[in-house]
Amino acid sequence: MFEVRIHGRGGQGAVTAAELLSVAAFLDGRHAQAFPSFGSERTGAPVVAFCRLDGKPIRSREPVVRPDGLVVQDATLLHQVPVFDGFAHDGYLLVNSPHDFAELGLADVVARLPPGRALTVPATALAREHLGRPVPNVVLLGAFAALTGQVRIESVQAAIRERFSGRVADGNVAAANAACDHVREQLREQSRVAAD
């Protein structure tokens, strides 16, 4: 089973991201489960959403306490809430930020992960470019598909089109594709640097 924890703030679409990820996994022929955990339900308050992906039925209904994948939709949460609690030593880390991990004060965390398992993505900027709104959730799903390989980008696109329509769907698909391309390029660059 691959377990994902998504940290965001109210209004950033963390719950929608978990739901879309579960739909994408289902479209890939896997079993999936998504659910939120709310504190105070207001815009800007910390929100956590969970998603589990597996090749067989999922029976657990508990919150994800040992995530294999960690998605942080708002970098201001990194030093405000315990986002790394239980994070797997071989897990995948995706952070919405135009800054690198050293600038975010996370160089030590990333150094413990295997190569190619952690990236920052300027998801808010990509969302503004393609959607006209600073909502990073769907953008990060495209990045997640490229980073982890747990879902195909085509399934993310299909999940988006099931949820949204018209220009909103088109913008979200374009933003997810841009993030997927960004991550693939970053991973290629990391491989080139490691080979030198």
Side-chain angles (χ1 to χ4, degrees):
M1 185 180 315
F2 191 92
E3 297 184 297
V4 182
R5 194 166 65 210
I6 302 171
H7 290 269
R9 292 192 180 276
Q12 290 183 323
V15 175
T16 300
E19 291 171 357
L20 289 173
L21 180 56
S22 70
V23 170
F26 177 76
L27 293 171
D28 277 342
R30 299 176 73 190
H31 293 270
Q33 172 194 95
F35 57 98
S37 172
F38 292 104
S40 59
E41 297 182 37
R42 62 179 173 79
T43 300
V47 174
V48 181
F50 309 105
C51 187
R52 289 188 174 95
L53 314 173
D54 205 345
K56 58 185 186 298
I58 300 168
R59 306 223 185 281
S60 174
R61 299 285 185 255
E62 301 297 318
V64 171
V65 295
R66 297 202 173 279
D68 302 295
L70 190 57
V71 179
V72 182
Q73 293 184 335
D74 190 317
T76 64
L77 293 169
L78 291 167
H79 304 290
Q80 291 183 0
V81 297
V83 297
F84 295 107
D85 279 3
F87 184 46
H89 295 296
D90 61 347
Y92 292 88
L93 173 62
L94 195 57
V95 178
N96 172 22
S97 178
H99 304 291
D100 64 29
F101 287 117
E103 293 173 298
L104 294 172
L106 299 178
D108 290 345
V109 172
V110 173
R112 292 191 296 261
L113 297 173
R117 296 288 181 106
L119 285 176
T120 61
V121 176
T124 299
L126 289 171
R128 279 195 181 106
E129 178 184 344
H130 294 282
L131 296 164
R133 298 177 53 221
V135 183
N137 61 340
V138 174
V139 181
L140 289 166
L141 290 183
F144 178 87
L147 181 64
T148 67
Q150 289 293 317
V151 292
R152 296 176 311 118
I153 187 63
E154 295 82 4
S155 297
V156 171
Q157 294 164 355
I160 292 167
R161 293 202 183 279
E162 279 189 18
R163 178 73 178 251
F164 304 107
S165 62
R167 287 194 301 201
V168 173
D170 293 342
N172 275 299
V173 166
N177 287 341
C180 182
D181 292 343
H182 174 84
V183 167
R184 287 176 176 163
E185 179 55 37
Q186 293 301 309
L187 292 174
R188 280 192 293 271
E189 181 61 28
Q190 285 183 6
S191 293
R192 281 193 293 269
V193 169
D196 289 345

